[in-house]
């Protein structure tokens, strides 16, 4: 696990505040997968490419961009057969940006839209948030094929005009 992560009192990783430039770097499912993989252990771009079943050149390009953008750190280098191997680690897998307000899907691009209402105590809300983050992280981390999709989950307090009735 990434020892450099700061954790909230709940034990969840604290989202890393990112700049608009860094936010642009994270607009790729492949880069998100790279960030998750490098949170688990420091790896070279070649090792990441093997784990994600991608070409080394493609992964090297994305790792270079993430490193230049300040989202990855170089943790060590090793000489192997005249080649210097660079081992990277991600600084976070959850991010916060002042500019990002969600995806703006066109009607024809929407696959599913789920809405519901829940009643939750503060402890239940924290548990729900943790389960959602774990669920999303599990899918972000998987080696998958196909088309890229955006997922936008919003949890918000609903102010109702109806009085609460207690039994």
């Amino acid at each position: 696990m990434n020892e450099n992560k700061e954790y909230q009192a709940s034990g969840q990783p604290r989202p890393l505040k990112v700049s608009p430039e860094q936010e642009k770097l994270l607009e790729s499912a492949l880069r998100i997968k790279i960030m998750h993989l490098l949170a688990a252990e420091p790896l070279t771009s070649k090792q990441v490419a093997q784990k994600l079943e991608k070409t080394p050149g493609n992964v090297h390009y994305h790792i270079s961009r993430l490193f230049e953008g300040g989202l990855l750190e170089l943790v060590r280098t090793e000489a192997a057969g005249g080649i210097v191997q660079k081992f990277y680690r991600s600084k976070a897998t959850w991010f916060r940006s002042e500019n990002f307000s969600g995806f703006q899907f066109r009607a024809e691009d929407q696959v599913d839209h789920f809405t519901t209402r829940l009643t939750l105590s503060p402890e239940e809300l924290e548990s729900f948030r943790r389960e959602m983050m774990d669920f999303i992280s599990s899918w972000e981390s998987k080696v998958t094929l196909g088309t890229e999709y955006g997922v936008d989950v919003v949890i918000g307090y609903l102010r109702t005009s109806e009085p609460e009735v207690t039994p």
Side-chain angles (χ1 to χ4, degrees), residues 7-22:
Y7 285 83
Q8 300 174 11
S10 66
Q12 288 180 251
R14 186 179 311 278
L16 177 68
K17 185 175 181 184
V18 294
S19 68
E21 295 80 20
Q22 290 172 317

Side-chain angles (χ1 to χ4, degrees), residues 23-36:
E23 184 181 320
K24 284 281 217 201
L25 291 172
L26 296 167
E27 292 178 351
S28 160
L30 177 57
R31 289 183 181 173
I32 296 295
K33 288 182 187 309
I34 290 169
M35 295 297 289
H36 276 278

Side-chain angles (χ1 to χ4, degrees), residues 92-162:
T93 56
W94 288 97
F95 309 95
R96 180 174 54 86
S97 170
E98 306 301 324
N99 302 315
F100 190 69
S101 61
F103 295 108
Q104 302 301 316
F105 295 111
R106 299 176 307 175
E108 61 269 22
D109 293 333
Q110 291 184 16
V111 175
D112 283 306
H113 184 190
F114 304 99
T115 59
T116 191
R117 291 174 178 251
L118 304 171
T119 54
L120 303 168
S121 69
E123 296 80 18
E124 291 167 331
L125 174 60
E126 187 58 37
S127 178
F128 181 77
R129 288 181 67 223
R130 179 186 306 258
E131 288 178 32
M132 288 298 297
M133 289 176 73
D134 289 347
F135 178 72
I136 291 168
S137 287
S138 75
W139 277 94
E140 287 176 334
S141 302
K142 288 182 183 188
V143 175
T144 55
L145 304 172
T147 305
E148 188 168 326
Y149 291 87
V151 177
D152 187 6
V153 178
V154 177
I155 302 171
Y157 178 73
L158 296 173
R159 300 187 190 284
T160 60
S161 58
E162 297 178 22

